[in-house]
């Protein structure tokens, strides 16, 4: 753990980030103990269930249900992994999810940045009403939109296509709201100054706001990706062919009405979490990248 | 307060609603939602899915089932026999699609079927559940089979199942399996408790059931660690099915289809609630609050359960292995008197959508899959999934024990038909709520029965009125 | 053209296309949903043939005890979830910032639960973790000697399986999953607070609590407002976690409103009544959000 940690935080410190008021190293013993306990507790509570999923994926079905509880598999069932790829199109599911969730994420980032910036930084009559309208779209249970929306998608001949899984979600009220709230925290003087210099709004957005809003944009990217891949109901309606299953449908393809192949389900889940974890690892530094440094001081 | 149903009122209403911003969009999009096929009208041909093969003479039919990947795989093998054989000759390909069933949710299936139906792109062939069927059949959801298929089904299938799929005089589909509910007993702990595992000594009356349940319940300190009777919370369907069986055994229908009255709080209804109350509260002999029922039997957390035939494969053999099967005895569900035992007969069936692009081809395909001599589907359901056969000429799974064979044969003779009730899934939920209220000590038995009866009656009245 | 007018035009061109798109994908279906509440319609026959019933569906809802309880339960869940998720999320964000070089792995650890798909989480919690007899949760609580009274706040020892504890177990499970998300959002928000404010406050001799109370919290308001709103929206519409754990039971102890709507719309096939319940839920959430955001912006003006 230490090696990779040193590397990543070293990079942070090399940038001269002044660090929070108290860093771990400088803290007193009691404080370090408290933080250490906190971290250990978090590790157990948060990683425990995930680790359990991974371990269960290596067990036989009776071992998963065994009583008393059995922590390690008697024999590591690597065959489970071969089995899941055989019974469900998991590989194709990876590809589809990268395409679908990736596409949705890209679209949401673009549309949210523009509209979120517009709502936060531009003054125009009715902007509060526009905000409320945007928020209102988050308030209706999805499956009630789903049927009318499905009728439209179906009329367009989009059932069993990628666009049916992507297009309806390219604008996200959540994203617009998130960016708007974040841009509100950026001091107005920064883009007002650019405006007086005669910059176009688009340039202000790209060159002033975007660098400052990186933490929010990265957070939005992670959340959008994860949310779009956690959907079951809509893909179930529009993706009826296994070739078009996104990852969760491919995973749940393993579960039947009465048969609960929990060991295979867990193995598939363990694999399915990998893209999400990679994405998070790739973006996590951006999430915390200091606005303070790059924006005001820089 | 209801405005009179005149054209004018509605137009006024529409004009009013047009004032709101959203209804402009509705005008653009609403009619399209409205237009698709009424049940009687012939549905508009759906646009071909972009992925469909381009040949013009070919016809592709969509078949929807709810099985998991492993089951689906072996079933697809059967469908391939059609696609490689007669299907190839006639240019009719059948694509198997799967609908998710992980949470046993009838509502989710209905949602998907309804969505497809109103969009004008219904599936062609359904594997239909009895929970969803009554609601859909009376709305003209299905295409009736040709007369000779109906005759074949009448002559070759278990009578109770034929009744189950008959509506308005039409036999709507091929029953694929038979579910008969019985009492399953794990006799593994019998020796330690000096009990006799002889099937002939299995409990026949409620008193005997409660007594045995009590004897099979074990504690570790304060905590109950083994329960005699498995309470199926989280799984409403068996509560309803068992109600039907219990009322029939006591001498009245649970729901009188002639009058539309439910008997949840009849004198017999009260007695059944009392029985649950004693079992769960006085004897403290159920798994209520202790475990989810799925693993209870195989993990020896609960030792008796009243459930359908599917239990044999999925919860006994698949989870507990041959050993658990050998330790298991089954008997007809106990009654208050120990006499007049009943069981149930239900199952899924294959049928064809009224909106199918090729109902004739679809029925031809189903005939290939279901009829003699191969009887592919029933054979597969019996041998691969361990269900009871719905077809008269197919035997029970080879691995069934003699005791199972004997009990299920008796169960068939006393099978009680399920009431035909639209909104069945909700009826399940109402019954489980009433019985849970008793099992968790939230209500007195009579109160729970009265509340449940009122709610169920409201549902029935609404459904039978509509 | 005046500067304000030009800004307004840009404002519209930045926001209206997205709004129009949402109009097509959300408002049109929403309008349709609102429209069908005035009819008696099961969702299967053409709506032209549906019977117009005026406000009957709403009148029916007023007298529907079971529906009223689902709204109350949903409020209870929403409140419990908001307090636990935002509270833990903010605490995590603040603590993680103290960790220096351990911050990166700590963030990953606390964010991990959010990566587990909701549906799988339901299976894992109900059959492996919150299982009363052999679930890890009870064993861990016993091993750590957590007092019974405290543990029962989280839903122990019967978790999903008793009507008395199922709702608390649900809130605990969701806190496990969602706190990491709020941690990330709060971390992003904390980054936007200029360090100078703290430095100035330290020079003034402000203690940690005062710095938190008078700098962090007020400056975090836009983030907090965002978190409150999305947590309310998410919790009021809780559905999938219920479907995969309790399905509303035992004895309807966890029957939240959206689950009831789903079962009404498709289980009972009473689409228009389900839509009525959804519209009422929509109005409740809208009222809350408008009131809350008004409050927040008024508070901001005071600052």
């Amino acid at each position: 753990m230490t090696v990779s940690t040193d590397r990543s935080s070293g990079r942070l410190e090399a940038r001269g980030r002044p660090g929070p008021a108290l860093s771990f190293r400088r803290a007193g013993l009691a404080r370090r103990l408290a933080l250490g306990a906190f971290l250990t507790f978090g590790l157990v509570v948060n990683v425990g269930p995930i680790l359990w999923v991974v371990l269960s994926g290596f067990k036989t079905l009776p071992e998963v249900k065994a009583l008393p509880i059995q922590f390690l598999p008697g024999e590591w069932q690597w065959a489970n992994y071969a089995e899941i790829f055989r019974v469900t199109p998991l590989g194709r599911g990876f590809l589809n999810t990268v395409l679908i969730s990736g596409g949705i994420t890209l679209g949401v980032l673009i549309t949210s940045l523009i509209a979120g910036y517009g709502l936060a930084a531009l003054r125009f009559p009715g902007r509060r009403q526009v905000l409320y309208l945007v928020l209102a779209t988050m308030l209706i249970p999805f499956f009630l939109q789903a049927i009318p929306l499905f009728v439209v998608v179906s009329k367009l001949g989009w059932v069993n296509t990628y666009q049916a899984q992507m297009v309806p979600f390219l604008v996200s009220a959540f994203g617009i709201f998130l960016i708007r709230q974040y841009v509100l925290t950026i001091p107005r003087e920064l883009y007002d100054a650019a405006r007086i210099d005669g910059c176009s709004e688009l340039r202000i957005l790209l060159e002033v706001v975007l660098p400052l809003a990186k933490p929010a944009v990265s957070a939005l990217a992670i959340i959008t990706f994860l949310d779009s891949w956690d959907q079951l109901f809509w893909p179930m309606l529009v993706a009826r062919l296994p070739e078009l299953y996104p990852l969760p449908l491919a995973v749940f393809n393993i579960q039947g009405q009465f048969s609960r192949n929990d060991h295979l389900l867990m193995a598939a889940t363990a694999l399915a979490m990998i893209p999400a974890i990679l994405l998070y690892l790739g973006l996590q530094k951006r999430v915390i990248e200091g606005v303070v440094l790059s924006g005001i001081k820089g | 307060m209801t405005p009179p149903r005149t054209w004018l009122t509605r137009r006024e209403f529409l004009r009013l609603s047009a004032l709101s911003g959203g209804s402009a969009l509705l005008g653009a999009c609403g009619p399209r939602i409205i237009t698709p096929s009424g049940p009687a009208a012939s549905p508009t041909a759906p646009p071909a899915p972009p992925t469909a093969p381009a040949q013009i003479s070919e016809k592709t039919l969509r078949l929807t089932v709810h099985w998991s990947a492993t089951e689906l795989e072996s079933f697809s093998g059967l469908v391939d026999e059609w696609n490689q054989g007669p299907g190839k000759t006639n240019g009719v390909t059948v694509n198997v699609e799967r609908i998710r069933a992980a949470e046993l949710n009838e509502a989710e299936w209905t949602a998907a079927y309804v969505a497809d139906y109103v969009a004008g792109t219904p599936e062609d062939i359904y594997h239909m559940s009895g929970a969803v069927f009554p609601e859909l059949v009376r709305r003209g959801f299905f295409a009736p089979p040709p007369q000779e298929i109906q005759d074949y089904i009448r002559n070759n299938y278990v009578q109770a199942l034929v009744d189950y799929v008959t509506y308005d005089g039409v036999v709507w589909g091929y029953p694929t399996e038979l579910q008969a509910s019985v009492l399953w007993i794990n006799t593994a702990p019998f020796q330690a408790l000096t009990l006799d595992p002889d099937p002939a000594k299995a409990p026949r009356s409620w008193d005997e059931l409660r007594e045995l349940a009590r004897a099979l319940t074990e504690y570790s300190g304060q905590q109950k660690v083994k329960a005699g009777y498995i309470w199926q919370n989280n799984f409403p369907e068996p509560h309803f099915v068992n109600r039907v069986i219990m009322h029939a055994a006591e001498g009245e229908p649970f729901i009188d289809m002639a009058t539309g009255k439910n008997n949840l709080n009849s004198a017999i209804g009260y007695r059944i609630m009392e029985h649950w109350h004693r079992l769960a509260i006085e004897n403290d002999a159920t798994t209520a609050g202790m475990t989810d029922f799925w693993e209870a039997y195989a993990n020896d957390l609960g030792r008796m359960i009243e459930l359908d035939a599917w239990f044999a494969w999925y919860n006994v053999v698949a989870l507990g292995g041959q050993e658990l099967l050998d330790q298991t005895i089954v008997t007809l569900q106990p009654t208050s008197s120990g006499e007049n035992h009943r069981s149930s007969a239900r199952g899924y069936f294959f049928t064809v959508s009224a909106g199918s692009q090729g109902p004739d081809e679809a029925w031809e395909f189903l005939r290939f899959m279901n009829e003699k001599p191969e009887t592919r589907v029933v054979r597969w359901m019996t041998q691969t999934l361990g269900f009871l056969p719905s077809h008269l000429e197919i035997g029970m799974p080879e691995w069934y024990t003699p005791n199972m064979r004997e009990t299920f044969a008796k169960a068939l003779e006393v099978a009680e038909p399920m009431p035909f009730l639209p909104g069945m899934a909700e009826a399940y939920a109402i019954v489980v709520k009433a019985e849970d209220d008793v099992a968790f000590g939230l209500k007195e038995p009579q109160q729970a029965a009265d509340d449940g009866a009122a709610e169920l009656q409201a549902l029935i009245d609404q459904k039978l009125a509509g | 053209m005046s500067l304000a007018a030009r800004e307004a035009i840009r404002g519209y061109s930045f926001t209206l296309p997205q709004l129009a798109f949402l109009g097509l994908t959300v408002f049109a279906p929403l309008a349709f949903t609102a429209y069908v509440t005035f009819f008696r319609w099961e969702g299967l026959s053409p709506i032209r043939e549906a019977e117009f019933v005026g406000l009957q569906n709403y009148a029916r809802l007023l007298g529907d005890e079971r529906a009223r309880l689902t709204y109350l339960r949903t409020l209870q869940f929403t409140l419990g979830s908001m307090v636990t998720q935002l509270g833990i999320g903010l605490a995590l964000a603040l603590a993680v910032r103290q960790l220096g070089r351990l911050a990166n792995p700590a963030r990953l650890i606390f964010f991990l639960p959010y990566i587990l798909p909701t549906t799988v989480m339901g299976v894992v919690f109900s059959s492996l973790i919150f299982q009363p007899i052999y679930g890890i949760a009870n064993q861990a609580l016993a091993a750590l000697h957590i007092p019974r009274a405290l543990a029962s706040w989280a839903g122990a020892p019967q978790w999903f399986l008793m009507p008395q504890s199922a709702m608390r177990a649900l809130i605990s499970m969701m806190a496990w999953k969602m706190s990491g998300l709020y941690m990330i959002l709060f971390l992003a928000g904390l980054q936007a607070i200029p360090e100078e404010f703290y430095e100035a406050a330290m020079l003034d001799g402000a203690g940690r609590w005062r710095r938190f109370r008078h700098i962090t919290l007020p400056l975090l308001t836009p983030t907090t407002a965002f978190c409150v709103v999305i947590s309310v929206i998410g919790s009021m519409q809780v559905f999938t976690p219920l479907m995969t754990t309790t399905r509303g039971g035992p004895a309807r102890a966890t029957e939240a409103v959206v689950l009831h709507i789903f079962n009404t719309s498709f289980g009972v096939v009473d689409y228009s009544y389900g839509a009525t319940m959804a519209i009422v839920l929509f109005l409740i959430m809208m009222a809350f959000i408008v009131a809350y955001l008004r409050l927040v912006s008024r508070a901001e003006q005071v600052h």
Side-chain angles (χ1 to χ4, degrees), chain C residues 8-301:
Chain C
I9 288 170
R10 290 202 196 102
Y12 292 126
S13 63
F14 271 42
T15 53
L16 291 187
Q18 281 87 332
L19 193 64
F21 188 90
L22 287 174
L24 281 176
T25 56
V26 188
F27 285 122
L30 175 59
F32 177 74
T33 304
Y35 178 77
V36 300
T37 62
F38 300 105
F39 293 83
R40 189 191 145 109
W41 186 56
E42 300 93 342
L44 293 175
S45 50
I47 195 169
R48 274 167 301 158
E49 291 161 18
E51 182 189 354
F52 178 75
V53 296
L55 293 174
Q56 247 180 32
N57 282 321
Y58 292 92
R60 180 176 155 203
L61 185 56
L62 274 180
D64 187 341
E65 171 75 6
R66 177 177 176 190
R68 197 176 62 83
L69 285 175
T70 65
Y71 284 101
L72 280 179
R73 251 178 241 123
T74 309
L75 285 177
Q76 186 192 350
F77 172 77
T78 303
L79 211 63
S81 296
M82 189 170 77
V83 171
T84 51
Q85 293 169 17
L86 266 61
I88 298 174
L90 181 58
L92 289 179
L94 292 168
V96 157
R97 274 163 66 90
Q98 309 276 315
L99 287 174
R101 62 175 52 190
L102 287 179
N104 272 347
R107 262 193 309 271
L108 175 61
I109 288 169
F110 292 122
F111 191 69
L112 259 184
Y114 192 70
I115 293 177
L116 188 68
T118 315
T119 32
V120 178
M121 174 183 70
V123 177
V124 172
F125 270 79
S126 56
S127 70
L128 298 173
I129 293 172
F130 282 175
Q131 211 295 324
I133 309 279
Y134 56 91
I136 319 174
N138 278 351
Q139 299 199 349
L141 288 172
L144 294 170
H145 299 286
I146 306 281
R148 243 167 196 281
L150 198 65
S152 76
W153 267 97
Q158 264 135 354
W159 308 102
F160 291 133
L161 292 172
M162 284 296 267
Q164 293 83 349
S165 62
M167 183 59 92
R168 272 174 282 166
L170 188 69
I171 291 172
S172 302
M173 181 179 80
M174 291 316 286
W176 179 82
K177 177 165 169 93
M178 300 299 288
S179 299
L181 169 72
Y182 294 107
M183 175 195 73
I184 292 287
L185 293 171
F186 277 124
L187 274 174
L190 288 170
Q191 292 297 329
I193 301 176
E195 204 69 29
E196 286 88 345
F197 287 7
Y198 289 106
E199 284 157 15
M202 297 246 280
L203 287 180
D204 289 349
R208 190 173 300 124
W209 168 248
R210 283 192 56 199
R211 289 201 303 269
F212 175 71
R213 177 73 190 75
H214 294 288
I215 299 173
T216 312
L217 268 190
L219 290 178
L220 212 51
T221 305
T223 310
T224 314
F226 174 78
C227 291
V228 167
V229 169
I230 63 159
S231 121
V232 167
I233 290 174
S235 301
M236 292 287 273
Q237 300 188 40
V238 61
F239 176 65
T240 313
L242 286 171
M243 287 287 293
T244 51
T245 54
T246 62
R247 298 181 75 203
R252 288 189 194 149
T254 56
E255 189 179 62
V257 62
V258 172
L259 186 73
H260 187 45
I261 292 172
F262 186 76
N263 287 331
T264 306
S265 300
F266 303 116
V268 190
V269 200
D270 193 350
Y271 196 91
S272 53
Y273 191 51
T276 307
M277 287 191 271
I279 291 295
V280 169
L281 178 70
F282 171 81
L283 293 175
I284 293 174
M285 283 196 280
M286 197 68 204
F288 164 80
I289 285 164
V290 170
Y292 179 76
L293 289 184
R294 282 251 160 96
L295 208 69
V296 168
S297 66
R298 197 165 302 153
E300 268 172 350
Q301 277 157 17

Side-chain angles (χ1 to χ4, degrees), chain B residues 392-460:
Chain B
L392 293 172
E393 289 170 30
I394 304 288
M396 292 185 201
E398 280 154 25
W399 47 268
Y400 271 23
T401 61
N403 159 243
M404 283 167 77
R405 287 169 189 281
E406 192 187 333
T407 305
F408 279 124
K410 272 191 258 165
L412 261 183
E413 290 165 19
V414 293
E416 183 68 16
M418 287 291 120
F420 180 88
L421 185 63
M424 193 75 119
E426 189 58 16
Y428 295 168
I430 292 170
V431 173
V432 74
K433 157 69 174 156
E435 298 190 345
D436 270 0
D437 277 343
V438 172
F440 291 105
L442 298 178
K443 283 181 188 168
E444 289 305 312
Q446 296 215 345
Q447 188 63 48
D450 287 343
D451 293 352
E455 217 182 314
L456 187 55
Q457 201 56 52
L459 174 75
I460 296 171

Side-chain angles (χ1 to χ4, degrees), chain B residues 175-214:
Chain B
T176 52
E177 91 288 1
L178 174 67
Q179 300 298 351
S181 189
V182 293
L183 177 69
W184 305 75
I185 307 169
N186 180 0
T187 61
F190 273 39
Q191 202 167 17
L193 299 166
T194 61
L195 293 166
D196 192 346
D198 180 359
K201 304 225 170 97
R204 298 183 58 78
S205 70
W206 290 352
D207 288 338
E208 289 167 11
L209 175 80
R210 287 196 299 262
E211 203 178 307
L212 181 60
R214 184 78 203 96

Side-chain angles (χ1 to χ4, degrees), chain A residues 61-62 65-67 83 86-88 146-148 150-152 154-161 232-233 236-237 239-245 249 252-262 264, chain B residues 29 32-33 47 49-51 62 66-73 95 97-104 108-109 111-112 115-116 118-119 121 123 235 294-295 299 301 310 314-315 318-319 348 387:
Chain A
L61 185 58
K65 314 273 180 192
L67 244 185
E83 177 75 2
R86 202 179 58 77
V87 298
T88 192
I147 302 283
F150 179 78
V151 173
V152 174
S154 180
K155 293 282 173 207
L156 291 170
W158 282 6
V159 172
N160 285 329
T161 61
L232 269 177
F233 187 61
M236 188 190 88
L237 288 182
R240 298 297 178 84
L241 297 174
E243 302 93 272
L244 288 151
Y245 281 176
L249 268 192
F252 275 94
N253 199 23
I254 290 169
Q255 241 185 352
Q257 185 183 12
F258 299 127
S259 63
R260 306 206 13 191
N261 301 317
D262 283 3
L264 298 183
Chain B
C29 146
R32 269 187 291 167
I33 297 160
T51 43
R62 299 163 62 198
H66 63 273
W67 291 309
S68 77
T70 29
E71 295 147 11
L72 188 64
E73 196 184 16
N95 272 347
E97 296 178 2
R98 173 179 188 266
I99 194 152
R100 204 173 71 91
E103 282 85 37
L104 298 154
E108 200 171 279
W109 300 346
D116 278 326
V118 297
T121 52
E123 297 82 357
F235 193 34
W294 276 104
E295 291 99 14
N299 272 339
L301 294 175
W310 60 262
Y314 286 102
N315 283 49
L319 295 182
Y348 280 70
F387 295 143

Side-chain angles (χ1 to χ4, degrees), chain B residues 92-155:
Chain B
V92 179
T93 312
V94 174
N95 272 347
V96 183
E97 296 178 2
R98 173 179 188 266
I99 194 152
R100 204 173 71 91
E103 282 85 37
L104 298 154
N105 191 354
E106 296 84 9
E108 200 171 279
W109 300 346
T110 323
Y113 295 153
V114 166
D116 278 326
Y117 188 82
V118 297
T121 52
E123 297 82 357
D124 296 282
I125 301 159
Y126 299 107
H127 191 217
M128 185 51 56
S129 141
V132 183
F133 172 66
E135 189 67 59
L136 299 184
V137 67
R138 64 191 191 127
R139 306 201 181 284
F141 224 75
F142 307 111
Q147 199 55 48
E148 65 270 21
I149 289 186
Q150 296 190 39
D151 291 339
Y152 176 86
I153 297 170
R154 275 198 198 93
N155 296 333

